[in-house]
Amino acid sequence: MKFSPIGVMLLITILLSGCNTQSSPIKDKINQIEQSPDSTQYPSETIEPLNKVDLVYTTEKKLSLTFNGLPEREKVTEVLRLLDQYHIVATFFVTGQRVAVEPELVELIQSSGHEVENNTLSKANMDSYTYDQIYNELLLGKQTIENATNTTVKYVRTETVAFEDPVLKAARQSNHERFIGYSFFINDSYLDTKFKEPKDMRIYINRGAIIAIDLDRNERIDEMLKLLVPAVEEVQYQFVTIDELLKAELTKKPFNEIEGFDLAKIAEVETNQSYHLFEKGNSSKKQIALTIDDWGTDYTVTKMLDILADKGIKATFFIRANGAENNPGLARAMLEEGHEIANHTYSHPVITKITAEQLQDEIVRSHRILTEALQQAPSMYFRPPTGEIDDKTAKVVAATGYSEIALYDITTFDWDVNVSSEEIINIITTEASNGSIILLHMLDDIHTLEALPTVIDNLLKDGYTFVTMTEIMR
């Protein structure tokens, strides 16, 4: 027999009350739900969907490890032992049904310092559910967990559904604060295909990342943590609960409320369209601009930011915006550390080989993404990928609002993994002069990170001051 969510909840109430079917707080709430059909009427106009969080927008070096499900005691105990071994605090999304049957498991999880949140009443696939059933699945899961644990449930996660709007509205109506998704999901099969060493996981380690593991479907938790923990340690980030991670979340204004959002737009190219293309800055001062292009993982970019902070250097980052789109907190971190951010297109095409329409779309789309990630407009400099540009494309670029086109006078081809750190150091040290604009990259697995400290030390020893692009153009 297949019970309705209300029927399942009545059974759970019996379990929680020691087989006493008399009135209880949960049973009273169930009766209220049954007597108030309007409360579960699909509120397409009256209720806004709750925000789904897959990645928390933060500049703090934090991320969350989360688990779905509540398996048998032996497995829960082993997972808790592993978390204690690695000094990890995690968030467990558990079902109301399992909590009702074994509430002591939740007590064990909480007493070990971990967070418990709602994985719905039964962790059912709700693709065929009515709105009423979805609502009850979320609400009754929350109520059962709260009744058993005497704590407030704030967050909910469900099985993946083909439709999010009714689920997110039901999440709000059932008084959850946030709907929690994930940015990185690990399962057993990935250990045989995608992940063989910690470095394979490093690409997924972001500020604000939410990592998910399903305890009901996966057995190789020990192997997962043996790869995950070193990957996080290499980036020097910290595991925190979902609640703590959300406390680090930064506020985001809507795009059209951010000052400078309209500085770039698709526009006709005038016949006399003007632009300023430059390779070098003010040569009357012993200054150098360090510029860093493209995008990288948190591992590479954070290490680069740490080097610059240690040396007291401010750089100009020309960001490939599809990287910032997936990891806005990292772009914002560059800004918060005092660096200048500028436009390097959305997807890094050779701009002389695409149409004018495609080029303008690349630039304007990049401007939008960077503005949203930074919560302010980037500096209005554009650098063409590969440095390739001609008069025609320069005019197309300038028509969007980016009339300042920044090239460079020193390049080391550091994007090529075959270029050694010694070569990078020698080229820059030899070729540097007043007003030089140095091009480097923040790509993974190249030798720039190794070379950067020595490059900075050598140029400082030679009497140069490092400035941003804006400062060197004065």
Side-chain angles (χ1 to χ4, degrees), residues 153-426:
V153 169
K154 296 181 180 180
Y155 313 118
V156 63
R157 172 184 284 164
T158 70
E159 289 289 276
T160 302
V161 290
F163 52 93
E164 286 190 348
D165 189 70
V167 174
L168 296 178
K169 289 187 175 184
R172 182 180 293 279
Q173 193 180 13
S174 54
N175 295 317
H176 292 88
E177 293 183 13
R178 304 292 281 274
F179 185 100
I180 306 300
Y182 54 83
S183 54
F184 179 30
F185 186 84
I186 312 174
N187 63 39
D188 285 352
S189 64
Y190 290 166
L191 297 174
D192 298 321
T193 55
K194 296 176 66 173
F195 305 126
K196 299 296 182 68
E197 54 183 310
K199 184 180 177 182
D200 299 330
M201 285 193 177
R202 217 165 57 192
I203 188 174
Y204 300 99
I205 307 306
N206 307 135
R207 301 178 194 220
I210 300 173
I211 301 168
I213 299 173
D214 193 301
L215 292 178
D216 294 330
R217 298 186 178 100
N218 294 283
E219 300 299 328
R220 300 162 67 179
I221 312 302
D222 189 10
E223 294 176 61
M224 293 177 187
L225 294 182
K226 281 180 179 177
L227 297 178
L228 178 62
V229 171
V232 172
E233 288 178 347
E234 286 175 356
V235 188
Q236 297 184 330
Y237 285 5
Q238 176 190 7
F239 285 110
V240 297
T241 63
I242 287 290
D243 194 52
E244 185 174 343
L245 188 62
L246 286 170
K247 288 176 182 175
E249 186 176 29
L250 298 170
T251 302
K252 288 187 86 170
K253 294 180 184 177
F255 173 67
N256 60 4
E257 294 180 13
I258 303 170
E259 185 176 355
F261 80 94
D262 56 353
L263 291 176
K265 59 191 70 176
I266 304 294
E268 291 288 333
V269 181
E270 304 291 339
T271 54
N272 61 343
Q273 188 77 53
S274 64
Y275 61 86
H276 177 213
L277 189 149
F278 56 94
E279 298 178 346
K280 202 167 184 179
N282 189 340
S283 61
S284 66
K285 298 179 181 178
K286 203 170 179 63
Q287 295 179 334
I288 281 182
L290 181 63
T291 67
I292 303 168
D293 284 13
D294 219 323
W295 191 254
T297 62
D298 280 51
Y299 172 81
T300 296
V301 175
T302 296
K303 284 190 174 297
M304 188 166 284
L305 290 174
D306 289 346
I307 291 169
L308 295 173
D310 181 61
K311 301 293 185 181
I313 302 301
K314 304 305 178 189
T316 300
F317 287 85
F318 286 88
I319 292 180
R320 172 170 49 83
N322 59 2
E325 182 177 40
N326 296 321
N327 195 353
L330 187 58
R332 175 72 178 266
M334 297 177 189
L335 183 73
E336 288 195 357
E337 295 198 23
H339 304 292
E340 190 168 41
I341 311 298
N343 194 321
H344 196 45
T345 72
Y346 175 77
S347 64
H348 208 266
V350 178
I351 65 173
T352 56
K353 296 182 179 180
I354 59 177
T355 67
E357 292 77 13
Q358 290 171 325
L359 174 52
Q360 288 204 342
D361 179 70
E362 283 275 339
I363 294 169
V364 174
R365 187 178 183 187
S366 175
H367 180 85
R368 180 187 183 102
I369 290 166
L370 293 179
T371 299
E372 288 183 316
L374 303 175
Q375 290 292 286
Q376 68 178 58
S379 297
M380 296 300 291
Y381 301 110
F382 173 76
R383 172 169 286 165
T386 74
E388 189 169 332
I389 193 166
D390 55 27
D391 179 68
K392 180 181 177 181
T393 52
K395 288 179 177 178
V396 173
V397 171
T400 67
Y402 278 90
S403 59
E404 296 287 333
I405 301 173
L407 295 179
Y408 39 84
D409 65 308
I410 299 177
T411 179
T412 66
F413 303 100
D414 65 321
W415 49 264
D416 185 345
V417 70
N418 294 311
V419 176
S420 69
S421 59
E422 290 79 10
E423 289 175 287
I424 295 169
I425 293 166
N426 290 337

Side-chain angles (χ1 to χ4, degrees), residues 281-282 285-291 312-316 340 435-437 464-474:
N282 189 340
K285 298 179 181 178
K286 203 170 179 63
Q287 295 179 334
I288 281 182
L290 181 63
T291 67
I313 302 301
K314 304 305 178 189
T316 300
E340 190 168 41
S436 278
I437 298 173
Y464 290 103
T465 301
F466 286 87
V467 297
T468 63
M469 184 67 70
T470 295
E471 292 172 304
I472 208 164
M473 295 309 297
R474 289 175 182 162

Side-chain angles (χ1 to χ4, degrees), residues 128-153:
S128 62
Y129 277 29
T130 65
Y131 181 79
D132 283 10
Q133 290 173 316
I134 295 170
Y135 170 77
N136 286 327
E137 180 76 15
L138 272 58
L139 177 65
L140 299 178
K142 181 178 192 291
Q143 291 177 337
T144 308
I145 297 166
E146 288 180 337
N147 185 73
T149 63
N150 197 31
T151 57
T152 300
V153 169

